[in-house]
Amino acid sequence: MAKVSIDLNMKRVTNDNFVEKAKKLEPKLLEKQVKPIKIVSIGNDGKVEPRADIGELDRISLKKGDSLVLDFGDHQVGYVSLKLKSVGSPQDAPAYLRLKFGEVPKEIKENSEEYNGWISRGWIQEEYIHVDVLPAWLHLPRRYAFRFLEIYAVDTSVKFQVVVEEVVCRAVSAVDMENIEPFSASDPVLRQMDKVSLRTLQNCMQSVFEDGPKRDRRLWLGDLRLQALANYATFQENELVKRCMYLFAGLTREDGAIGACLFTEPEYLVDDTFMFDYSLLFLSALKEYYEATNDKETVEELWPSAYRQIELSRMCFDERNVVSEEAGDSCFVDWKEGLNKQASAQAIYIYVLKDAIAMANAFGQEKLAEKLEEERKRCVSAALDYFWDEKQGVFVSGEKRQISYASQVWMILAGVKAGEEARMLLDRIVELKPEMSMVTPYMNHHFVEALLLCGEKEKAIDYMKYYWGGMLLQGADTFWELYNPDNPQESPYGSSAVNSHCHAWSCTPSYLLRTLTNEE
Ligand code: RAM
């Protein structure tokens, strides 16, 4: 498990004005009725085979131990209702059913009894339900994220069976796909990649930008930033970004630290998890919001909250201008087990300083910009002195001088190495193939950004086809929280049963592809 800083004794402060603004920006969700398109069967290997035409549904009767799986054709987020009846003799006992929802087929096959991961089993989308009287409409109160629904009859009685006459999903999202111009490319893989990215983003856009509609259904800063970028290039639902920014700035720790994550129910609440990188990246998200919207009023109002993250992070640096190992430990960066994040923390601070300088200049705060520029130079030279290994020609991190993709990528994004040197550094790290690889689409996104910054457009496209394309080859309808091409079953939680398969931070191909073409 990644170490993060959890502050159990924290005092929270609320800026009522900001929270009020956020509340007013709550979107009205759009709804669509979706019905299953096929009855399928799923093998133990997760292979989906057609079983019957959907028109056959009300001719299938389920007795004890029988099941059927419905395929909704694409990833859905919504509320499900089932119209049930009994056949045979009169219903002399409750119908006892298990309903299982899967974003991907293998979730249907996973046995939740065997789950032993370290996050709550409550995330597994499975219900055991008694229906006392049939016929009935069963309206499930939870919102599900799924493509497949298995209905399993735990028990009926020897006298009656259950028939599922109809199933409807009321799918919800803040945005509609209809207004979106798909990415035009001759390569079908890129077109499919865009389609799946858009669906991922759409299904994560709810009352806030959720990280994943299956799990955690919350607002995380790192995810928000990437979703916002993809949103500016596609749906342009910019008021939703604004709402999320006001929430983060309106609900902070007493010292002004912006949390890594926010709850929106039962009331708006900042979590007690803080991450060095996520807090800082609020500033970059604000800069990007400004670039996308030109909304000076909002940005000026939120600027002090953003700048406060620099002041707080600055305290983690020593007299050599080197960030502490602890700050590294409290970074997210990636879910790669064993990854040392000290060098990434140093780089992310420099990266955010760059954005702060740009903002200060844009708002006529030249003095501040100059001061920050001096600090940036000091941090860059400390990064080179302390983290650059001349002999190996790579950045290293931590006391054990660990080599990882993450350190190189963030140092390049921060501009510590640039131009030809940076380009060669990326080649070197790919060749070295360090054990500390990248496992989340979040980290992989930043790798692609680094390639683009070095002018490696073709390599960027090839890499996207390898990474996000790898998920497509495995049948992804939406992109996943975690994908390690060397180990597709990997999970940061001890079991892939709780992995999210529609995850915000994986939606960036839509943004990257459009950025690439715009630059031509
Ligand atoms: C996971 C969430 C989220 C991410 C954090 C760091 O729990 O799914 O996407 O931002 O980790």
Side-chain angles (χ1 to χ4, degrees):
M1 178 187 169
K3 286 186 225 156
V4 291
S5 127
I6 297 178
D7 185 351
L8 294 175
N9 301 317
M10 72 181 264
K11 284 213 180 90
R12 296 176 166 87
V13 287
T14 303
N15 180 322
D16 293 326
N17 172 31
F18 287 2
V19 174
E20 263 324 295
K21 285 195 175 174
K23 281 185 183 161
K24 288 202 181 106
L25 292 164
E26 177 162 2
K28 189 165 168 12
L29 297 186
L30 309 170
E31 295 186 1
K32 258 191 189 145
Q33 293 261 327
V34 187
K35 293 193 173 184
I37 58 161
K38 263 187 265 169
I39 304 169
V40 295
S41 53
I42 299 178
N44 284 335
D45 55 356
K47 211 162 171 254
V48 183
E49 303 277 3
R51 174 175 155 187
D53 194 83
I54 196 67
E56 305 282 308
L57 186 61
D58 60 1
R59 287 199 278 280
I60 300 176
S61 54
L62 304 174
K63 61 175 186 320
K64 179 177 179 168
D66 288 346
S67 66
L68 64 90
V69 180
L70 299 173
D71 177 357
F72 281 70
D74 197 356
H75 188 274
Q76 313 293 340
V77 176
Y79 300 86
V80 173
S81 298
L82 298 94
K83 189 178 179 200
L84 305 170
K85 70 173 183 184
S86 72
V87 291
S89 298
Q91 183 193 2
D92 61 341
Y96 186 26
L97 304 175
R98 185 188 71 198
L99 305 174
K100 224 180 189 185
F101 293 85
E103 295 187 300
V104 293
K106 77 175 172 51
E107 270 173 280
I108 300 291
K109 285 287 153 190
E110 259 149 6
N111 182 354
S112 60
E113 300 293 321
E114 288 164 12
Y115 176 73
N116 58 1
W118 61 267
I119 61 170
S120 172
R121 178 173 147 178
W123 289 117
I124 297 176
Q125 305 185 100
E126 181 179 68
E127 314 293 354
Y128 283 86
I129 289 172
H130 293 84
V131 189
D132 289 311
V133 182
L134 292 171
W137 265 103
L138 178 62
H139 300 290
L140 299 172
R142 279 196 90 208
R143 195 197 70 191
Y144 298 96
F146 69 104
R147 170 171 168 176
F148 301 98
L149 163 60
E150 182 196 52
I151 304 154
Y152 170 74
V154 183
D155 214 339
T156 51
S157 86
V158 286
K159 301 189 75 178
F160 81 98
Q161 299 89 47
V162 173
V163 169
V164 181
E165 290 187 280
E166 207 181 321
V167 182
V168 192
C169 170
R170 179 164 57 84
V172 287
S173 167
V175 288
D176 199 333
M177 200 70 93
E178 265 153 39
N179 313 322
I180 300 299
E181 193 66 39
F183 179 70
S184 71
S186 51
D187 186 339
V189 177
L190 296 183
R191 288 203 304 269
Q192 181 65 7
M193 200 185 288
D194 179 52
K195 190 172 160 233
V196 170
S197 301
L198 286 171
R199 185 66 168 173
T200 307
L201 180 57
Q202 180 191 26
N203 282 356
C204 291
M205 287 175 76
Q206 302 291 335
S207 133
V208 292
F209 282 93
E210 292 182 10
D211 61 334
K214 169 184 164 188
R215 206 215 82 246
D216 303 321
R217 304 163 163 230
R218 297 205 277 279
L219 179 55
W220 284 86
L221 217 147
D223 304 67
L224 166 66
R225 178 168 167 250
L226 299 194
Q227 283 170 301
L229 288 175
N231 168 68
Y232 303 140
T234 56
F235 296 106
Q236 296 184 355
E237 191 59 38
N238 299 346
E239 298 287 274
L240 192 59
V241 183
K242 183 168 162 181
R243 165 170 154 82
C244 297
M245 298 299 285
Y246 270 116
L247 283 176
F248 271 118
L251 297 153
T252 62
R253 197 166 63 188
E254 197 179 22
D255 60 1
I258 285 183
C261 156
L262 282 180
F263 297 92
T264 54
E265 285 174 318
E267 55 191 36
Y268 297 106
L269 185 78
V270 59
D271 194 7
D272 50 16
T273 303
F274 292 84
M275 294 174 172
F276 180 88
D277 50 348
Y278 273 25
S279 302
L280 275 170
L281 288 168
F282 178 83
L283 192 149
S284 297
L286 188 65
K287 175 186 169 259
E288 288 149 4
Y289 172 80
Y290 184 53
E291 285 165 351
T293 61
N294 222 2
D295 176 0
K296 201 168 176 191
E297 197 188 317
T298 299
V299 175
E300 275 187 325
E301 194 163 36
L302 295 179
W303 168 247
S305 311
Y307 187 68
R308 180 72 187 134
Q309 309 317 304
I310 292 203
E311 291 174 336
L312 291 169
S313 306
R314 191 177 281 143
M315 297 178 202
C316 303
F317 283 75
D318 64 15
E319 59 300 331
R320 298 167 303 168
N321 296 298
V322 174
V323 79
S324 67
E325 284 235 33
E326 295 73 58
D329 287 345
S330 76
C331 276
F332 171 63
V333 181
D334 194 18
W335 271 124
K336 179 73 195 169
E337 196 63 47
L339 178 67
N340 185 292
K341 302 165 187 175
Q342 189 189 10
S344 298
Q346 177 95 13
I348 290 166
Y349 185 72
I350 299 169
Y351 178 90
V352 172
L353 274 181
K354 259 198 318 174
D355 284 347
I357 294 164
M359 294 280 280
N361 278 324
F363 288 99
Q365 298 186 28
E366 281 89 12
K367 279 244 154 62
L368 177 65
E370 272 168 35
K371 220 181 84 194
L372 293 175
E373 176 56 20
E374 278 160 25
E375 183 182 3
R376 191 191 67 82
K377 284 187 186 145
R378 287 196 302 273
C379 291
V380 167
S381 100
L384 291 168
D385 288 348
Y386 193 80
F387 296 104
W388 179 249
D389 184 318
E390 188 61 45
K391 239 184 165 173
Q392 304 191 79
V394 289
F395 288 99
V396 292
S397 181
E399 258 181 23
K400 295 196 177 135
R401 305 179 67 76
Q402 185 189 74
I403 302 176
S404 66
Y405 270 91
S407 303
Q408 324 308 317
V409 165
W410 275 109
M411 286 290 183
I412 290 171
L413 292 176
V416 177
K417 290 278 175 193
E420 188 54 16
E421 257 195 298
R423 208 185 56 74
M424 278 160 54
L425 175 56
L426 280 180
D427 279 352
R428 200 168 306 129
I429 200 68
V430 170
E431 218 168 277
L432 272 177
K433 226 179 177 299
E435 194 205 328
M436 287 300 133
S437 57
M438 306 175 281
V439 297
T440 56
Y442 178 79
M443 187 60 230
N444 278 276
H445 163 87
H446 290 104
F447 176 65
V448 175
E449 289 268 33
L451 283 171
L452 294 177
L453 196 64
C454 297
E456 296 278 31
K457 193 170 149 176
E458 253 171 57
K459 281 190 186 157
I461 293 183
D462 286 349
Y463 189 79
M464 286 167 72
K465 283 165 90 169
Y466 160 73
Y467 188 72
W468 281 271
M471 287 186 252
L472 292 178
L473 283 177
Q474 302 209 25
D477 300 300
T478 44
F479 287 126
W480 310 339
E481 171 179 23
L482 187 127
Y483 173 58
N484 178 358
D486 299 327
N487 176 17
Q489 289 308 306
E490 187 163 324
S491 166
Y493 312 114
S495 163
S496 61
V498 289
N499 279 18
S500 149
H501 288 93
C502 172
H503 212 72
W505 62 24
S506 65
C507 72
T508 56
S510 284
Y511 157 74
L512 293 165
L513 289 170
R514 282 171 180 74
T515 319
L516 275 165
T517 5
N518 288 344
E519 278 165 4
E520 270 172 4

